[in-house]
Short mmCIF file of all heavy atoms in Angstrom, two decimals:
data_model
loop_
_atom_site.label_atom_id
_atom_site.label_comp_id
_atom_site.label_asym_id
_atom_site.label_seq_id
_atom_site.Cartn_x
_atom_site.Cartn_y
_atom_site.Cartn_z
N THR A 1 76.56 -98.48 133.30
CA THR A 1 75.84 -99.43 134.16
C THR A 1 74.36 -99.47 133.78
O THR A 1 73.75 -98.43 133.49
CB THR A 1 75.99 -99.03 135.64
OG1 THR A 1 77.38 -99.02 135.98
CG2 THR A 1 75.28 -100.02 136.55
N TYR A 2 73.80 -100.69 133.83
CA TYR A 2 72.40 -100.88 133.52
C TYR A 2 71.73 -101.65 134.66
O TYR A 2 72.29 -102.62 135.18
CB TYR A 2 72.22 -101.68 132.23
CG TYR A 2 72.76 -100.99 130.99
CD1 TYR A 2 74.11 -101.08 130.66
CD2 TYR A 2 71.92 -100.23 130.17
CE1 TYR A 2 74.61 -100.45 129.54
CE2 TYR A 2 72.42 -99.60 129.04
CZ TYR A 2 73.77 -99.72 128.73
OH TYR A 2 74.26 -99.07 127.61
N THR A 3 70.54 -101.19 135.05
CA THR A 3 69.74 -101.92 136.03
C THR A 3 68.81 -102.87 135.28
O THR A 3 68.14 -102.46 134.32
CB THR A 3 68.91 -100.95 136.89
OG1 THR A 3 69.81 -100.08 137.59
CG2 THR A 3 68.07 -101.71 137.91
N VAL A 4 68.79 -104.12 135.71
CA VAL A 4 68.05 -105.16 134.99
C VAL A 4 66.66 -105.31 135.57
O VAL A 4 66.48 -105.44 136.79
CB VAL A 4 68.80 -106.51 135.06
CG1 VAL A 4 68.02 -107.58 134.30
CG2 VAL A 4 70.21 -106.36 134.49
N ASP A 5 65.65 -105.29 134.70
CA ASP A 5 64.28 -105.57 135.11
C ASP A 5 64.14 -107.06 135.38
O ASP A 5 64.63 -107.89 134.60
CB ASP A 5 63.31 -105.13 133.99
CG ASP A 5 61.86 -105.13 134.44
OD1 ASP A 5 61.44 -106.12 135.06
OD2 ASP A 5 61.16 -104.14 134.16
N GLN A 6 63.50 -107.42 136.49
CA GLN A 6 63.35 -108.83 136.84
C GLN A 6 62.62 -109.62 135.76
O GLN A 6 62.86 -110.82 135.58
CB GLN A 6 62.61 -108.97 138.18
CG GLN A 6 63.36 -108.40 139.36
CD GLN A 6 64.59 -109.21 139.71
OE1 GLN A 6 64.63 -110.42 139.49
NE2 GLN A 6 65.62 -108.55 140.21
N SER A 7 61.74 -108.96 135.02
CA SER A 7 61.00 -109.65 133.96
C SER A 7 61.88 -109.94 132.75
O SER A 7 61.47 -110.65 131.83
CB SER A 7 59.80 -108.81 133.52
OG SER A 7 60.22 -107.57 132.95
N ALA A 8 63.10 -109.40 132.73
CA ALA A 8 64.02 -109.60 131.62
C ALA A 8 65.11 -110.61 131.96
O ALA A 8 66.18 -110.61 131.34
CB ALA A 8 64.64 -108.28 131.20
N VAL A 9 64.84 -111.46 132.95
CA VAL A 9 65.79 -112.51 133.35
C VAL A 9 65.14 -113.86 133.09
O VAL A 9 64.04 -114.13 133.58
CB VAL A 9 66.18 -112.39 134.84
CG1 VAL A 9 67.15 -113.49 135.22
CG2 VAL A 9 66.77 -111.01 135.12
N PHE A 10 65.81 -114.71 132.33
CA PHE A 10 65.27 -116.02 131.96
C PHE A 10 66.32 -117.08 132.31
O PHE A 10 67.48 -116.96 131.90
CB PHE A 10 64.95 -116.07 130.47
CG PHE A 10 64.07 -114.93 130.02
CD1 PHE A 10 64.62 -113.74 129.56
CD2 PHE A 10 62.69 -115.03 130.08
CE1 PHE A 10 63.83 -112.68 129.16
CE2 PHE A 10 61.88 -113.97 129.69
CZ PHE A 10 62.45 -112.79 129.23
N THR A 11 65.91 -118.08 133.07
CA THR A 11 66.89 -119.00 133.64
C THR A 11 66.54 -120.46 133.36
O THR A 11 65.38 -120.82 133.13
CB THR A 11 67.00 -118.81 135.16
OG1 THR A 11 65.74 -119.15 135.77
CG2 THR A 11 67.35 -117.38 135.51
N ASP A 12 67.57 -121.27 133.41
CA ASP A 12 67.44 -122.72 133.37
C ASP A 12 68.33 -123.28 134.47
O ASP A 12 69.55 -123.39 134.29
CB ASP A 12 67.84 -123.28 132.01
CG ASP A 12 67.78 -124.81 131.99
OD1 ASP A 12 66.78 -125.36 132.46
OD2 ASP A 12 68.74 -125.44 131.51
N SER A 13 67.74 -123.58 135.61
CA SER A 13 68.53 -124.01 136.77
C SER A 13 69.19 -125.35 136.55
O SER A 13 70.28 -125.60 137.08
CB SER A 13 67.65 -124.06 138.02
OG SER A 13 66.57 -124.98 137.83
N LEU A 14 68.57 -126.23 135.76
CA LEU A 14 69.11 -127.57 135.56
C LEU A 14 70.49 -127.52 134.93
O LEU A 14 71.40 -128.27 135.31
CB LEU A 14 68.16 -128.41 134.71
CG LEU A 14 68.52 -129.89 134.61
CD1 LEU A 14 68.36 -130.58 135.95
CD2 LEU A 14 67.67 -130.57 133.56
N ASN A 15 70.67 -126.64 133.95
CA ASN A 15 71.96 -126.52 133.27
C ASN A 15 72.74 -125.29 133.70
O ASN A 15 73.76 -124.96 133.10
CB ASN A 15 71.76 -126.49 131.75
CG ASN A 15 71.38 -127.84 131.20
OD1 ASN A 15 72.20 -128.75 131.10
ND2 ASN A 15 70.10 -128.01 130.86
N ASP A 16 72.26 -124.60 134.73
CA ASP A 16 72.95 -123.44 135.31
C ASP A 16 73.22 -122.37 134.26
O ASP A 16 74.33 -121.83 134.17
CB ASP A 16 74.25 -123.87 135.99
CG ASP A 16 74.81 -122.78 136.89
OD1 ASP A 16 74.02 -121.94 137.37
OD2 ASP A 16 76.04 -122.76 137.10
N LEU A 17 72.19 -122.03 133.48
CA LEU A 17 72.33 -121.00 132.46
C LEU A 17 71.25 -119.94 132.65
O LEU A 17 70.16 -120.23 133.15
CB LEU A 17 72.22 -121.60 131.05
CG LEU A 17 73.39 -122.49 130.63
CD1 LEU A 17 73.05 -123.23 129.34
CD2 LEU A 17 74.66 -121.67 130.45
N ALA A 18 71.56 -118.73 132.24
CA ALA A 18 70.59 -117.64 132.33
C ALA A 18 70.84 -116.63 131.22
O ALA A 18 71.97 -116.48 130.75
CB ALA A 18 70.66 -116.95 133.70
N ILE A 19 69.75 -115.94 130.84
CA ILE A 19 69.81 -114.86 129.86
C ILE A 19 69.31 -113.59 130.52
O ILE A 19 68.29 -113.59 131.22
CB ILE A 19 68.93 -115.18 128.63
CG1 ILE A 19 69.48 -116.38 127.87
CG2 ILE A 19 68.85 -113.97 127.70
CD1 ILE A 19 70.85 -116.18 127.29
N ILE A 20 70.04 -112.50 130.33
CA ILE A 20 69.63 -111.18 130.82
C ILE A 20 69.45 -110.26 129.60
O ILE A 20 70.29 -110.25 128.70
CB ILE A 20 70.70 -110.57 131.75
CG1 ILE A 20 70.83 -111.41 133.03
CG2 ILE A 20 70.37 -109.12 132.09
CD1 ILE A 20 71.97 -110.96 133.92
N LYS A 21 68.35 -109.53 129.59
CA LYS A 21 68.12 -108.56 128.51
C LYS A 21 68.18 -107.15 129.10
O LYS A 21 67.48 -106.82 130.04
CB LYS A 21 66.74 -108.79 127.88
CG LYS A 21 66.38 -107.77 126.79
CD LYS A 21 67.27 -107.93 125.58
CE LYS A 21 66.80 -107.05 124.42
NZ LYS A 21 66.97 -105.60 124.69
N ILE A 22 69.10 -106.34 128.56
CA ILE A 22 69.19 -104.94 128.99
C ILE A 22 68.76 -104.04 127.84
O ILE A 22 68.78 -104.43 126.67
CB ILE A 22 70.62 -104.58 129.45
CG1 ILE A 22 71.63 -104.75 128.31
CG2 ILE A 22 71.02 -105.41 130.66
CD1 ILE A 22 73.03 -104.27 128.65
N ASN A 23 68.38 -102.83 128.18
CA ASN A 23 67.90 -101.87 127.19
C ASN A 23 69.09 -101.12 126.60
O ASN A 23 69.46 -100.03 127.03
CB ASN A 23 66.92 -100.89 127.84
CG ASN A 23 66.27 -99.97 126.81
OD1 ASN A 23 66.24 -100.28 125.62
ND2 ASN A 23 65.77 -98.83 127.27
N ALA A 24 69.74 -101.75 125.61
CA ALA A 24 70.91 -101.15 124.97
C ALA A 24 71.02 -101.69 123.55
O ALA A 24 70.53 -102.79 123.24
CB ALA A 24 72.18 -101.46 125.76
N GLN A 25 71.66 -100.95 122.69
CA GLN A 25 71.86 -101.36 121.30
C GLN A 25 73.32 -101.13 120.90
O GLN A 25 74.07 -100.44 121.59
CB GLN A 25 70.95 -100.56 120.35
CG GLN A 25 69.47 -100.89 120.45
CD GLN A 25 68.80 -100.26 121.64
OE1 GLN A 25 69.12 -99.12 122.00
NE2 GLN A 25 67.88 -100.99 122.27
N ASN A 26 73.68 -101.75 119.79
CA ASN A 26 75.01 -101.60 119.21
C ASN A 26 76.13 -101.97 120.19
O ASN A 26 77.17 -101.30 120.26
CB ASN A 26 75.22 -100.16 118.70
CG ASN A 26 74.22 -99.78 117.62
OD1 ASN A 26 73.93 -100.59 116.74
ND2 ASN A 26 73.70 -98.57 117.69
N LEU A 27 75.89 -103.02 120.92
CA LEU A 27 76.90 -103.50 121.87
C LEU A 27 77.91 -104.39 121.15
O LEU A 27 77.60 -105.01 120.13
CB LEU A 27 76.22 -104.28 123.01
CG LEU A 27 75.23 -103.49 123.86
CD1 LEU A 27 74.61 -104.40 124.92
CD2 LEU A 27 75.90 -102.29 124.52
N PRO A 28 79.12 -104.50 121.69
CA PRO A 28 80.14 -105.37 121.06
C PRO A 28 79.91 -106.85 121.39
O PRO A 28 80.35 -107.34 122.43
CB PRO A 28 81.45 -104.85 121.66
CG PRO A 28 81.04 -104.31 123.00
CD PRO A 28 79.66 -103.75 122.84
N ALA A 29 79.22 -107.54 120.53
CA ALA A 29 78.91 -108.96 120.76
C ALA A 29 80.12 -109.83 120.44
O ALA A 29 80.94 -109.49 119.58
CB ALA A 29 77.72 -109.38 119.92
N VAL A 30 80.22 -110.96 121.12
CA VAL A 30 81.32 -111.89 120.88
C VAL A 30 81.01 -112.80 119.70
O VAL A 30 79.87 -112.87 119.22
CB VAL A 30 81.59 -112.77 122.12
CG1 VAL A 30 81.99 -111.93 123.31
CG2 VAL A 30 80.36 -113.61 122.44
N THR A 31 82.02 -113.53 119.28
CA THR A 31 81.84 -114.60 118.30
C THR A 31 81.84 -115.92 119.05
O THR A 31 82.69 -116.16 119.91
CB THR A 31 82.99 -114.60 117.28
OG1 THR A 31 83.02 -113.33 116.62
CG2 THR A 31 82.81 -115.70 116.25
N VAL A 32 80.87 -116.78 118.74
CA VAL A 32 80.77 -118.08 119.41
C VAL A 32 81.48 -119.13 118.56
O VAL A 32 81.25 -119.22 117.34
CB VAL A 32 79.30 -118.48 119.63
CG1 VAL A 32 79.22 -119.85 120.28
CG2 VAL A 32 78.60 -117.44 120.50
#
């Protein structure tokens, strides 16, 4: 579990999208 810093949240309300940055490396990223 990771607690997210509020300064690491970036949002776009118009398109209902958001990015969260957590302090972690070597995570299993998906293929788009």
Side-chain angles (χ1 to χ4, degrees):
T1 301
Y2 297 84
T3 299
V4 180
D5 191 313
Q6 295 291 330
S7 64
V9 180
F10 307 91
T11 64
D12 177 46
S13 60
L14 189 67
N15 287 286
D16 194 26
L17 291 170
I19 295 296
I20 295 173
K21 177 67 173 68
I22 61 174
N23 187 21
Q25 289 78 37
N26 299 319
L27 299 178
V30 299
T31 301
V32 178

